[in-house]
Amino acid sequence: MRRYLGWFSLALILSWAAPVVAEEVSVEEAEAFVAASEGRLLEAWNERDQADWVYSTYITYDTARIAARASARTLALEAELAVAAARFNDLELPADLRRKLELLKTAGSAPAPADAALRDELAAVMAAMEGRYGSGRYCPEGAPKEECLDLGELSNLLAESRDPAELEEAWVGWRTISIPMRDEYRRFVELANRGARELGFADLGAMWRSKYDMPADAVPAELDRLWAEVRPLYEALHCYVRGRLAGTYGEELVRPGEPIPAHLLGNMWSQSWLEIYPLVAPADSDPGYDLTERLRAAGLDEREMVRYGERFFTSLGFEPLPETFWERSLFTQPADRDVVCHPSAWTVDQGDDLRIKMCIEIDQEDFSTIHHELGHNFYQRAYMHQPLLFRDSANDGFHEALGDTIALSVTPAYLREIGLIEREPDPSSDIGLLLRMALEKVAFLPFGLLVDQWRWKVFSGEIAPEEYNTTWWELRESYQGVAPPVPRTEADFDPGAKYHVPANTPYTRYFLAQILQFQFHRALCAASGFEGPLNRCSIYGDREVGARLAEMMEMGQSRPWPDALEALTGERAMDAGAVLDYFAPLAAWLEEQNRESVCGW
């Protein structure tokens, strides 16, 4: 719904956006300001998201310009309202009103400078970087244009090939698309930092960290605490995988006691090692089925893959997705145009216009990803009754964790119940199933942490532009224990080869989601009365558990995240111990496997 403001309201808003002066303000003025701001933001966000949807699903010069203009207008409004909100900093206010004002100050992930020309430049730079990523192709030297490879094709090659030379070419080839982003990213940092400082933050990283209901400086220590809990499990997995890869590729390529070459781990960013499971699987771990084969044998198309995800949520008591979801979502890679295939979930009108954008493959990985993306959509609908500024998750990690929590219930028992397998495998095969899960979930943890570790240091100036790539690889070696297959220099810009960097999407949420999903799963399994190993628990069909989940989701961002966490789990602190509980049988098995190995790097 569009909202039109009379001349009196417009005059009030312009006065709120004026430089802050020492004058008395009232609670009533703060309430009027917030109400008017929510109306303006709703219209601006709808316009921006509609333009972004068209651009993401139809990348052209013109759609890029349209999206950039809509983004610039939204950035301008967010910056205006953020500055104006500071007028009420010292006023004693009801908790909900104070929370809305604080959220106004941190709306968006890239605050625009007040200068209109710089604001437009920021929007254009951001659109240019995302466009380079979305239309990126690697063209082998001398190859005709039709033989150029996009990210999906290169990712398939990394997942399937076992030829080190071919893997290296694909790995290096994708990183050619990000080289032109280097200067654009440097300029983006300058402009976004300027916007953040105009709002009173030290830099853009400090602004991002301010969104976690704790002092910004306390966030890194909280992340370090969680990482310290799970790091021994990651190191044990790393040690085991490196040993098995050395058996495949030889110790000249995969050396004991050193980082693993990044191109051998089956994923463009080494953030998931799931695709190399056949190389590292225990000899006696065959569960008796291959889910990818079962999905294809069942004749599923892309829409039916999504229907499975929807039916999981409806089994918990949630209403089906609206018909517009099926009419307006993008499920397949179009043959006639470039799109941003990176999976994402949308509420284009901040309400019931729910969609996903995803180039779906009929395989196990996308079956899980669909549950993840629909988690966003069902969460978005659960809190849409909240005031606009509260229509978000308790913290951004909650949003990412929700769908993954559901995916943890995609167990053999669930697959049997919905008819994709005939029988559950014997518990003796659980080590293989847990190892598969660890290659996806545990392997991701350090990457989920380091992306923002790098950006926060870039935003603060600790990492200078001439050190972008060097420090990126120092962090990747330190946290992940991986190394590039060929020397990298400052002529490269490897961070830009990861979507979330050019798209300016904060990444700490994904690390937190990996912690929270296991904490959510443990609590929901306990609520369901399940007794047994956590990896065997599925909440499918449990409407009482669904009601408990819905209660937390409906809170949106209206309360600090510890309140939402307590509503679901009974706990007020994030607990990485749930990860260790889930993988306890695997941890004991890895310890035995690594007994004669040289671990660490």
Side-chain angles (χ1 to χ4, degrees):
M1 179 180 72
R2 297 173 66 90
R3 299 189 181 186
Y4 295 91
L5 301 170
W7 287 108
F8 177 71
S9 296
L10 181 60
L12 277 176
I13 290 167
L14 291 174
S15 72
W16 288 326
V20 177
V21 296
E23 59 178 293
E24 289 192 12
V25 290
S26 68
V27 173
E28 291 74 19
E29 285 178 286
E31 290 173 339
F33 167 70
V34 167
S37 298
E38 287 187 308
R40 297 178 73 195
L41 284 170
L42 177 62
E43 188 167 350
W45 287 348
N46 288 350
E47 179 189 13
R48 176 201 61 194
D49 290 350
Q50 288 169 340
D52 281 349
W53 177 265
V54 174
Y55 174 53
S56 295
T57 59
Y58 204 105
I59 299 173
T60 70
Y61 170 82
D62 292 313
T63 59
R65 294 292 298 274
I66 292 168
R69 285 196 294 270
S71 177
R73 288 191 290 270
T74 302
L75 289 170
L77 176 60
E78 290 172 347
E80 171 196 326
L81 297 178
V83 171
R87 185 180 183 210
F88 305 98
N89 278 354
D90 298 327
L91 184 64
E92 187 174 340
L93 295 168
D96 279 3
L97 189 56
R98 171 57 61 198
R99 187 168 182 80
K100 287 182 179 180
L101 287 165
E102 293 304 311
L103 291 170
L104 272 174
K105 287 196 244 179
T106 57
S109 59
D115 183 278
L118 296 180
R119 187 169 63 236
D120 291 345
E121 183 184 0
L122 175 62
V125 168
M126 292 172 69
M129 290 191 297
E130 191 164 0
R132 288 189 193 280
Y133 191 96
S135 60
R137 299 286 189 279
Y138 165 57
C139 299
E141 188 174 353
K145 185 176 181 180
E146 56 269 20
E147 293 183 15
C148 295
L149 303 173
D150 63 20
L151 177 58
E153 293 165 323
L154 292 167
S155 294
N156 288 340
L157 194 154
L158 280 170
E160 297 166 6
S161 175
R162 300 297 180 247
D163 178 348
E166 192 173 35
L167 294 170
E168 180 181 304
E169 182 182 7
W171 190 95
V172 173
W174 176 246
R175 282 155 179 78
T176 62
I177 69 105
S178 57
I179 292 172
M181 297 179 195
R182 186 186 180 91
D183 287 339
E184 292 168 337
Y185 194 77
R186 175 192 56 76
R187 184 58 175 158
F188 160 77
V189 170
E190 294 173 350
L191 294 169
N193 267 346
R194 177 164 176 166
R197 287 168 184 147
E198 288 176 4
L199 296 179
F201 297 100
D203 54 59
L204 183 58
M207 179 181 143
W208 287 4
R209 295 191 300 275
S210 73
K211 300 181 181 185
Y212 288 104
D213 294 308
M214 64 177 72
D217 292 344
V219 174
E222 176 69 359
L223 298 176
D224 286 343
R225 177 185 70 81
L226 296 169
W227 171 236
E229 288 187 67
V230 295
R231 179 166 183 162
L233 177 60
Y234 175 80
E235 291 179 342
L237 180 68
H238 181 283
C239 186
Y240 171 76
V241 166
R242 182 176 57 197
R244 297 304 294 263
L245 289 177
T248 298
Y249 295 108
E251 290 192 357
E252 288 188 1
L253 185 56
V254 185
R255 299 176 180 176
E258 294 191 11
I260 300 172
H263 65 309
L264 303 181
L265 288 164
N267 175 270
M268 186 61 75
W269 309 279
S270 311
Q271 69 180 60
S272 167
W273 304 347
L274 186 59
E275 300 296 346
I276 62 165
Y277 178 74
L279 301 182
V280 304
D284 57 351
S285 64
D286 180 11
Y289 69 91
D290 181 315
L291 183 54
T292 296
E293 289 181 0
R294 294 304 177 95
L295 293 168
R296 293 173 181 172
L300 302 188
D301 62 11
E302 293 80 8
R303 283 176 174 263
E304 188 58 24
M305 289 271 284
V306 181
R307 289 286 186 188
Y308 270 103
E310 180 192 40
R311 285 194 289 269
F312 202 121
F313 283 92
T314 58
S315 83
L316 298 176
F318 293 91
E319 291 297 316
L321 292 162
E323 281 304 310
T324 53
F325 171 88
W326 303 100
E327 296 165 1
R328 299 170 185 172
S329 290
L330 184 142
F331 300 124
T332 60
Q333 167 74 65
D336 61 342
R337 64 186 190 269
D338 289 327
V339 302
V340 178
C341 269
H342 187 87
S344 56
W346 301 59
T347 169
V348 177
D349 64 349
Q350 318 306 314
D352 209 37
D353 189 355
L354 305 167
R355 312 178 191 182
I356 63 169
K357 173 187 62 61
M358 183 176 174
C359 302
I360 296 172
E361 301 284 342
I362 310 300
D363 60 26
Q364 177 173 330
E365 182 178 0
D366 278 7
F367 191 73
S368 177
T369 300
I370 286 166
H371 287 77
H372 172 91
E373 296 303 335
L374 292 188
H376 288 298
N377 287 144
F378 279 94
Y379 205 165
Q380 288 160 342
R381 188 165 63 179
Y383 58 58
M384 71 179 182
H385 67 283
Q386 291 280 358
L388 182 68
L389 287 168
F390 291 158
R391 293 180 200 171
D392 206 341
S393 60
N395 70 38
D396 52 10
F398 277 63
H399 233 312
E400 298 300 331
L402 206 290
D404 279 349
T405 300
I406 299 301
L408 289 176
S409 282
V410 180
T411 62
Y414 164 67
L415 296 175
R416 180 188 55 77
E417 187 166 351
I418 61 175
L420 285 176
I421 63 175
E422 292 77 30
R423 61 181 180 82
E424 294 181 52
D426 187 83
S428 63
S429 67
D430 278 7
I431 291 298
L433 293 172
L434 283 168
L435 180 60
R436 285 184 64 96
M437 183 73 76
L439 293 173
E440 178 186 2
K441 304 288 189 180
V442 178
F444 175 82
L445 287 166
F447 187 78
L449 194 60
L450 72 87
V451 174
D452 279 352
Q453 295 288 331
W454 180 81
R455 283 193 288 195
W456 293 344
K457 293 175 188 293
V458 167
F459 296 148
S460 72
E462 184 177 342
I463 296 175
E466 58 271 18
E467 300 170 331
Y468 278 171
N469 224 46
T470 300
T471 50
W472 172 255
W473 282 105
E474 287 174 353
L475 285 168
R476 294 203 62 185
E477 180 173 336
S478 173
Y479 280 98
Q480 282 187 287
V482 302
V486 298
R488 309 302 286 166
T489 72
E490 290 303 326
D492 302 304
F493 184 56
D494 294 336
K498 177 61 181 170
Y499 169 79
H500 300 75
V501 174
N504 193 46
T505 302
Y507 212 73
T508 296
R509 63 186 65 177
Y510 302 106
F511 173 79
L512 294 178
Q514 295 297 86
I515 303 297
L516 286 167
Q517 65 185 268
F518 291 98
Q519 193 170 357
F520 291 175
H521 182 66
R522 182 176 65 182
L524 293 174
C525 289
S528 74
F530 177 82
E531 295 181 1
L534 283 175
N535 65 292
R536 287 271 169 165
C537 171
S538 178
I539 62 169
Y540 178 75
D542 192 325
R543 292 191 169 231
E544 289 187 16
V545 166
R548 183 168 180 168
L549 190 61
E551 180 187 359
M552 182 276 288
M553 294 163 65
E554 289 167 3
M555 293 170 68
Q557 198 174 200
S558 65
R559 305 290 301 160
W561 65 261
D563 293 353
L565 182 65
E566 185 175 29
L568 183 63
T569 69
E571 302 163 316
R572 294 189 61 81
M574 289 181 281
D575 180 15
V579 179
L580 304 182
D581 290 345
Y582 188 95
F583 290 105
L586 178 67
W589 182 83
L590 288 172
E591 183 179 5
E592 182 63 29
Q593 300 301 307
N594 294 335
R595 193 173 299 278
E596 304 297 327
S597 301
V598 177
C599 295
W601 58 87

